[in-house]
Amino acid sequence: MEFREAKNKFVQTWGALGSQWGINKTMAQIHALLLIAPEPLSMEDVMEELHISRGNASMNLRALMDWGIVYKEFKQGERKEYFTSEKDLDELAVKIAQERSRREIKPALKVLKDVSTSVKESDSAEARHFTEQTAKLYDFVLKADNMLEKVTEYKDNWLARLVVKIMG
């Protein structure tokens, strides 16, 4: 396989996997491109490589920076902005886990807490069952989220790194 073909295959596959960790295909493709780039890329480089518009590139680069996995870099004497990805895979896994918790798990916990505590007292067996099950689910998700937080806090610990890799 030629380098160009392998590179394109990687970028396309990483893009398809993006939905698995909560981002759109283009955002994941941009991340893949920056991850494998030996030097920071300009927005124009990204646009040309992926055949996307300036608006699409700008919006997705901003979102990747919000996730904390892409950074702006400035080159002396250049007016263009350049972008690079987090290259440390352990750090990348931690940041993705933290962001997914913030975006997905924390809101789900809020809903579970609300629905498990807001049902009016009722003699209905169905209402009692609902309250019991949603409370159990809340406790389970909270424990899982707390475990994830502990693992990401101790990323320098070899065991924590192993758990992050297993979960990733």
Side-chain angles (χ1 to χ4, degrees):
M1 184 180 303
E2 295 290 324
F3 166 70
R4 188 92 183 133
E5 182 184 352
K7 180 179 170 183
N8 286 337
K9 187 173 187 173
F10 172 76
V11 169
Q12 293 303 315
T13 301
W14 196 263
L17 292 173
S19 63
Q20 299 297 313
W21 48 282
I23 65 171
N24 71 57
K25 180 181 175 183
T26 302
M27 193 170 155
Q29 288 176 331
I30 292 171
H31 179 255
L33 188 61
L34 294 173
L35 183 66
I36 61 172
E39 297 292 326
L41 301 177
S42 70
M43 186 179 311
E44 290 74 17
D45 295 333
V46 171
M47 292 165 46
E48 182 180 320
E49 186 79 31
L50 299 177
H51 308 288
I52 59 175
S53 70
R54 179 173 299 280
N56 196 359
S58 176
M59 177 184 66
N60 283 296
L61 283 165
R62 196 171 316 116
L64 286 163
M65 288 187 293
D66 290 345
W67 276 70
I69 60 175
V70 165
Y71 315 102
K72 271 186 194 180
E73 286 199 8
F74 298 95
K75 290 188 178 181
Q76 186 81 18
E78 289 275 348
R79 294 184 68 191
K80 290 181 185 178
E81 294 178 327
Y82 288 83
F83 302 89
T84 190
S85 172
E86 175 62 57
K87 303 289 186 181
D88 179 325
L89 298 181
D90 289 335
E91 185 66 24
L92 181 63
V94 166
K95 287 182 178 185
I96 290 169
Q98 289 171 333
E99 189 63 18
R100 289 200 64 185
S101 173
R102 186 182 74 77
R103 290 176 183 247
E104 299 167 28
I105 298 172
K106 300 282 193 269
L109 280 169
K110 183 182 180 330
V111 169
L112 286 168
K113 182 73 165 176
D114 289 349
V115 299
S116 67
T117 59
S118 65
V119 174
K120 305 268 188 277
E121 282 301 313
S122 172
D123 291 332
S124 159
E126 187 178 11
R128 283 192 307 273
H129 180 74
F130 172 82
T131 300
E132 288 170 14
Q133 288 304 110
T134 55
K136 286 178 188 175
L137 189 54
Y138 171 81
D139 290 340
F140 176 79
V141 174
L142 182 61
K143 285 176 190 168
D145 191 45
N146 287 338
M147 185 182 82
L148 184 61
E149 281 182 20
K150 294 294 180 215
V151 167
T152 58
E153 284 173 15
Y154 300 110
K155 66 179 178 67
D156 293 329
N157 174 315
W158 71 269
L159 180 59
R161 285 197 312 270
L162 177 63
V163 172
V164 168
K165 284 182 181 177
I166 290 170
M167 293 174 67

